[in-house]
Amino acid sequence: MFDEVIDGIRGIFGHPTGPIPLHAPWFDKEDEEAVAACVRSTYVSSVGAEITAFEQDLVKFTGAAHAVAVVNGTAALHTALMLAECGPNDLVITQPFTFIATCNAISYTGAAPVFLDIDADTLGLSPDAVRAWLVKHCTMKGRACVHSSGKRVRACVPMHSFGLPMHIDALVAVCAEWNITVIEDAAESLGSCRGGKHTGTFAPMATLSFNGNKIITCGGGGAVLFGDADMAKRAKHLTTQAKVAHPWAFSHDATGYNYRMPNLNAALLRSQMRKLPHNIAVKRELHERYNALFAGTPWTMVQEPTGTRSNHWLNAVLMRNMQERDAFLSACHAGDIQARPASELATDQPMYTNAIHGDLAVSRDIQDRLVNIPSSAYPKQNPLT
Ligand SMILES: *Cc1c(COP(=O)(O)O)cnc(C)c1O
């Protein structure tokens, strides 16, 4: 039943035999030289010019006002949630259809996640679901949005799934009414825009990841984007052990974190940044080829939402039901093609089975039927070998 699409995937990647990875990183001589030059400089750690330069590159590319580079995307989320003042008496709204890091970062602060449904057209948190839940369960007490449990709803973390921009403008409007801080988890959507505006610039804070499977990578890395200069400054302070600037003294004015990105990683990322427009173009072309491959089959490619431009970080296809999804995954596995289901819903993981949640029908339906298919930007060959 799946022979034709499996042959088609091999055709697209020009690999008649051998494994086809879900997402392979891509490095060239320029990347290699950037790392070597940084090593030669000896400035590989927490001091160096590459970090600030990379933060400026991010600002230029996304249009965000400020960027703070950190060790990974999970630390970026934790940092943003701390700046939103999330703590043990708070709730944070998010979607169960996400990578587990989004939920874990909420737990690190002591706050409890609230899981609400996604929209079928974006696979991101539904502004309508958020509004309905707030109206039903919360009231404003002064400037605080208070849940019937007595806990305060402090923040909301939507995620731009697989690079598809969710309805962030509508969500920001709902959260403004209820004085809830929005943090965009844009780990998967570097290069994606809604209405010409880059994801990660709609809310006061947004987070990025440069893990090995993301659209550009330095092995491990992350960043927080900010609209406000003072918040960016506080993030830099918190992520560098809350060290007070001084020519020689070591003093610290808070419990800080060692979340700063090493200069070596930033050097590689600056080189990777130069390839980002090219990576996006290749991924968008790959998406069109998949659209052609799946046209006329019973299976549906997930498309970019109306009014958006997706980086198509990971291509996704919807099967008709879970049995068919599992049969397709088996066929891909047998054919040495790395495909995978979406992350299991957070509410199905033991840490979150008792979490507060709304009706999750769309999340459940999408999770049951979705398969991510190979999406490397440079599938054919590694230029270093
Ligand atoms: C990759 C990812 C993260 C975490 O990034 P790390 O750099 O691996 O810590 C967070 N959220 C989402 C949605 C991701 O895809």
Side-chain angles (χ1 to χ4, degrees):
M1 172 147 92
F2 299 112
D3 289 354
E4 230 169 278
V5 293
I6 286 182
D7 287 349
I9 294 173
R10 287 206 167 277
I12 287 172
F13 284 87
H15 277 301
T17 56
I20 298 184
L22 183 72
H23 196 291
W26 165 267
F27 302 111
D28 62 10
K29 289 284 175 197
E30 208 180 81
D31 295 314
E32 208 174 42
E33 181 48 37
V35 173
C38 186
V39 169
R40 284 195 295 267
S41 80
T42 76
Y43 285 90
V44 295
S45 192
S46 53
V47 175
E50 301 287 351
I51 300 163
T52 319
F54 173 64
E55 290 170 343
Q56 285 315 307
D57 290 348
L58 271 184
V59 161
K60 204 184 271 175
F61 184 82
T62 60
H66 306 276
V68 174
V70 295
V71 283
N72 57 53
T74 312
L77 282 162
H78 186 203
T79 301
L81 287 155
M82 286 191 285
L83 283 165
E85 294 177 55
C86 295
N89 290 317
D90 298 323
L91 299 176
V92 177
I93 298 169
T94 192
Q95 56 197 72
F97 185 87
T98 184
F99 178 55
I100 199 72
T102 318
C103 321
N104 286 344
I106 294 169
S107 300
Y108 298 164
T109 67
V114 173
F115 294 104
L116 301 180
D117 213 357
I118 57 173
D119 283 320
D121 64 330
T122 67
L123 312 188
L125 186 63
S126 165
D128 291 338
V130 172
R131 183 193 304 274
W133 185 82
L134 288 167
V135 167
K136 192 164 173 198
H137 299 284
C138 301
T139 48
M140 288 305 285
K141 298 207 168 121
R143 294 281 294 142
C145 171
V146 181
H147 180 247
S148 54
S149 64
K151 289 193 173 188
R152 177 167 177 181
V153 184
R154 269 290 174 184
C156 177
V157 189
M159 202 275 278
H160 301 287
S161 303
F162 313 130
L164 309 167
M166 49 79 61
H167 291 289
I168 184 64
D169 35 8
L171 183 73
V172 164
V174 171
C175 289
E177 277 174 46
W178 292 82
N179 193 27
I180 296 167
T181 304
V182 178
I183 298 164
E184 296 179 66
D185 185 345
E188 303 178 357
S189 69
L190 182 61
S192 299
C193 299
R194 174 172 281 281
K197 198 167 147 70
H198 202 287
T199 55
T201 63
F202 288 81
M205 289 183 272
T207 61
L208 300 172
S209 165
F210 307 106
N211 188 45
N213 62 346
K214 299 302 201 283
I215 193 160
I216 58 169
T217 184
C218 59
V224 191
L225 304 179
F226 294 94
D228 179 71
D230 185 55
M231 278 182 104
K233 215 170 134 188
R234 280 161 54 209
K236 187 60 108 181
H237 185 64
L238 193 61
T239 55
T240 50
Q241 303 281 30
K243 184 182 179 298
V244 181
H246 189 276
W248 59 82
F250 268 83
S251 75
H252 308 265
D253 59 8
T255 303
Y257 293 79
N258 181 15
Y259 278 176
R260 188 176 174 139
M261 176 182 283
N263 202 48
L264 184 62
N265 299 46
L268 177 53
L269 271 177
R270 289 193 70 205
S271 173
Q272 287 269 294
M273 236 6 230
R274 289 194 279 276
K275 295 170 188 68
L276 180 54
H278 187 240
N279 288 11
I280 295 165
V282 172
K283 278 170 181 282
R284 290 184 58 85
E285 188 192 316
L286 182 57
H287 179 72
E288 287 313 318
R289 298 187 70 173
Y290 274 132
N291 277 344
L293 177 63
F294 281 94
T297 72
W299 312 303
T300 322
M301 283 294 295
V302 175
Q303 300 296 322
E304 73 190 349
T306 313
T308 73
R309 191 175 165 84
S310 173
N311 67 3
H312 287 301
W313 169 62
L314 271 191
N315 282 282
V317 61
L318 289 170
M319 314 310 281
R320 286 171 295 183
N321 54 56
M322 196 199 272
Q323 288 72 16
E324 203 172 64
R325 176 198 73 176
D326 291 344
F328 182 51
L329 286 167
S330 296
C332 287
H333 186 76
D336 223 358
I337 286 175
Q338 209 181 70
R340 56 153 230 216
S343 290
E344 288 176 19
L345 299 188
T347 41
D348 289 339
Q349 311 309 301
M351 311 80 81
Y352 300 116
T353 42
N354 295 321
I356 302 173
H357 63 85
D359 174 61
L360 301 176
V362 180
S363 302
R364 177 76 54 200
D365 175 55
I366 298 291
Q367 154 63 26
D368 283 353
R369 297 192 293 122
L370 184 140
V371 177
N372 286 124
I373 47 182
S375 299
S376 303
Y378 294 93
K380 284 208 170 112
Q381 59 181 49
N382 182 340
L384 297 181
T385 57

